[in-house]
Amino acid sequence: MIMQTNMNRRTFILPLLLAGFARFGVPLASAVSEPQAASAPAQDFSATADQALLAMNKRAEELHIKGAAVVACFEGESITAWSSKMKVVGSMKNAPSGNDHGSNLLAIAYAKATEMAETLKNSGHAGRPPMTGELGWEGGLIAKGKTGYLIAAFSGGPSEDDLRVSRTGLDILTKAL
């Protein structure tokens, strides 16, 4: 008896669910289909991002700095979505010293990247005071690509070294994308 009641509920719920999808304009195929494969631009970014991150890792090691590298890209003139990848180079955080509790270098690298996504200017050069969530620190670079914008950011060393590492990654991104 219990099994029959559950079966009746399932039989009743499925048509309601499908009717709900139709009511909100969701085609049945998208409601039940398998996820789509990554688009060609996303695949191009992924492979190029891996190359850029490896080069940034190598450059940071040459400069004897540890930290976090981030690369990202987005289509168009303003951001609504992006693809990004990151790589930890030696350490994602630095050690506390004195009154300093240490730093989350990955968070700083992403803060640089998000500032650039909003301003379309290199990090630390927004031309306005930093918004909440932004740091206003140098170390990230942005450039116009073929179909949108490309971002490389590093955090872990002095700003000049962070910029050197970011330049290495951005050069690879701009040549390919």
Side-chain angles (χ1 to χ4, degrees):
M1 179 107 164
I2 292 173
M3 200 173 257
Q4 186 175 13
T5 303
N6 286 340
M7 182 63 90
N8 289 341
R9 284 184 187 157
R10 274 186 255 150
T11 306
F12 181 71
I13 291 173
L14 183 59
L16 286 176
L17 183 62
L18 295 176
F21 282 132
R23 180 175 179 201
F24 292 108
V26 177
L28 179 59
S30 70
V32 295
S33 66
E34 294 294 317
Q36 297 281 328
S39 66
Q43 290 173 344
D44 291 345
F45 171 73
S46 183
T48 303
D50 289 342
Q51 293 171 2
L53 289 168
L54 285 173
M56 291 171 78
N57 189 107
K58 182 179 177 189
R59 185 68 173 127
E61 288 174 349
E62 292 168 356
L63 295 169
H64 306 289
I65 57 176
K66 297 177 181 179
V70 172
V71 293
C73 73
F74 62 92
E75 301 292 314
E77 293 299 316
S78 63
I79 188 165
T80 58
W82 77 359
S83 294
S84 70
K85 282 192 165 190
M86 61 74 66
K87 179 165 182 43
V88 172
V89 179
S91 181
M92 190 176 88
K93 59 185 178 180
N94 65 11
S97 63
N99 291 336
D100 179 10
H101 298 288
S103 299
N104 181 330
L105 301 172
L106 179 58
I108 294 169
Y110 266 105
K112 292 174 182 181
T114 58
E115 175 189 328
M116 293 184 286
E118 197 280 320
T119 64
L120 304 181
K121 296 180 181 180
N122 294 337
S123 70
H125 297 278
R128 57 158 173 70
M131 297 173 70
T132 300
E134 296 176 351
L135 303 170
W137 292 347
E138 293 182 352
L141 300 170
I142 186 169
K144 183 85 166 115
K146 294 173 186 168
T147 61
Y149 285 87
L150 308 166
I151 291 172
F154 187 85
S155 180
S159 293
E160 302 80 30
D161 287 345
D162 286 357
L163 284 167
R164 287 181 181 103
V165 174
S166 294
R167 172 58 56 206
T168 300
L170 190 63
D171 286 347
I172 290 170
L173 293 175
T174 57
K175 286 177 186 168
L177 304 171

